[in-house]
Amino acid sequence: MAQERANGLKDQFIMDMHTHFLRDDTRIMTFVDMRNAVGKAGWNKELADHEQTIEDLKFNNYKKEMFLDSDTKIALISSAPSDIEQDWFLTNQQMADARKKVNDEAGSRRLFCHSIFTPGQPGWLDKLDAGLELKPESCKGYTIGDNTHKEISHYPWRMDDENVAYKGYEKMVKAGIKNVCIHKGLFPPGVEKRFPNLRGFADVSDVGQAAKDWPQLNLSSITRPIAMSAAIRSRRWRNSNAPDGFPGPPISPTSRRSTASTMSTATSDNYSRPRWWQSRMSAPR
């Protein structure tokens, strides 16, 4: 029955437009614990086969899980900024480089990428210009500022700030960008209690006016900040195995989706190219 279902879904078009891996010199270890927790909770038993390491969160494993171990046809690499430059998941250049590497091997456009923008940070408009020169498929920002180090987030911002954010939107429109993803943070009660100063930047009260003022852009608020928080409050996810701040099992559009979008893997240099790479990475079926 399982094989019959798999065969029935093999031609399903799957795109994953919010995926991550970490840079080679990353200092961020939180997601190693998350992958271990996912395996131990039984949400992905393959992750329980061995202890997860930071290498499982870098490029090589990302490519393997996203395109070789799953039926994902198209994916988009995203990142998260920080007030500490080394603690960006990936720089805009690193995302663009990974996109080129995968697409050159595939001979088709299998991987898209964001360009991260950081309103209010010193020199952010110049950095946005540099990111737009990389021809990203879309842009992404975090209204709470530094989502990795919330305790030192110095530059939260609002989507409807005419003096700050709107300057960035103007540049995006001129560059031909249509889609702008705004990460509102995942603010369950525990996080809200610890960082009450950021709570006002995590809700969606600033979306409406910005959307009215910029009809040229598709402003998309991601992570369902209000709905997710409400769901956590009402259901508590009934899962004691999840680490603190991790709300519950990732929601997949299909049972055959990659695990990589919750965080994947490997070193951006010196990776092997399996013989079956080209067949799996050929133009989307």
Side-chain angles (χ1 to χ4, degrees):
M1 182 179 293
Q3 186 59 50
E4 182 179 334
R5 174 172 170 76
N7 290 339
L9 294 173
K10 68 179 181 179
D11 293 324
Q12 185 178 31
F13 181 79
I14 300 172
M15 64 178 186
D16 196 334
M17 294 290 101
H18 193 174
T19 72
H20 294 292
F21 66 88
L22 297 177
R23 57 199 285 173
D24 286 343
D25 63 347
T26 186
R27 306 184 304 175
I28 301 171
M29 300 296 167
T30 309
F31 297 108
V32 177
D33 294 336
M34 286 188 177
R35 282 176 66 97
N36 279 320
V38 166
K40 291 175 182 178
W43 300 336
N44 185 333
K45 295 181 180 179
E46 291 182 8
L47 298 185
D49 291 344
H50 66 282
E51 191 70 15
Q52 299 297 304
T53 71
I54 194 61
E55 292 305 310
D56 291 315
L57 289 156
K58 296 181 182 177
F59 176 75
N60 282 352
N61 195 51
Y62 169 86
K63 182 186 71 174
K64 172 181 174 293
E65 291 187 350
M66 183 59 64
F67 292 112
L68 306 182
D69 294 349
S70 82
D71 291 332
T72 305
K73 304 300 190 295
I74 294 174
L76 180 143
I77 306 173
S78 191
S79 181
S82 173
D83 292 349
I84 302 172
E85 189 169 347
Q86 187 182 348
D87 289 341
W88 282 50
F89 288 5
L90 296 169
T91 66
N92 289 330
Q93 185 65 59
Q94 287 169 334
M95 285 189 285
D97 290 346
R99 175 184 61 179
K100 184 177 188 304
K101 181 174 291 190
V102 168
N103 290 345
D104 283 353
E105 286 195 36
S108 61
R109 293 182 68 200
R110 301 299 302 278
L111 201 56
F112 297 174
C113 73
H114 275 150
S115 181
I116 303 298
F117 66 107
T118 55
Q121 278 195 5
W124 77 277
L125 287 172
D126 290 337
K127 293 175 182 177
L128 175 57
D129 285 334
L132 292 172
E133 288 179 3
L134 299 172
K135 304 298 182 183
E137 277 73 21
S138 57
C139 291
K140 177 187 172 188
Y142 283 71
T143 52
I144 65 171
D146 190 338
N147 191 51
T148 301
H149 302 294
K150 295 181 181 69
E151 69 280 3
I152 61 165
S153 183
H154 297 303
Y155 305 102
W157 53 280
R158 289 182 57 87
M159 292 174 63
D160 58 1
D161 190 330
E162 297 180 5
N163 296 318
V164 182
Y166 281 25
K167 294 179 180 179
Y169 302 155
E170 183 178 3
K171 287 179 177 289
M172 294 172 201
V173 169
K174 289 182 178 178
I177 294 293
K178 299 293 185 183
N179 298 316
V180 181
C181 302
I182 307 299
H183 195 297
K184 283 292 186 174
L186 190 59
F187 259 66
V191 175
E192 185 176 334
K193 184 176 181 179
R194 290 174 61 196
F195 307 106
N197 59 308
L198 298 178
R199 178 60 181 83
F201 299 96
D203 65 28
V204 294
S205 63
D206 56 348
V207 177
Q209 189 60 54
K212 290 178 182 178
D213 291 343
W214 293 91
Q216 313 96 309
L217 297 172
N218 296 320
L219 296 174
S220 173
S221 177
I222 59 177
T223 71
R224 300 177 298 159
I226 303 303
M228 182 66 79
S229 182
I232 293 170
R233 285 190 174 95
S234 63
R235 293 166 53 196
R236 301 293 178 186
W237 291 104
R238 300 185 181 89
N239 195 319
S240 59
N241 295 321
D244 183 43
F246 191 57
I251 301 171
S252 299
T254 169
S255 59
R256 308 178 75 220
R257 178 184 169 188
S258 163
T259 59
S261 60
T262 19
M263 271 293 192
S264 234
T265 56
T267 172
S268 22
D269 301 311
N270 303 320
Y271 60 91
S272 60
R273 183 178 302 180
R275 286 179 298 175
W276 31 275
W277 164 250
Q278 190 61 41
S279 62
R280 287 288 285 159
M281 290 294 293
S282 60
R285 292 170 287 175

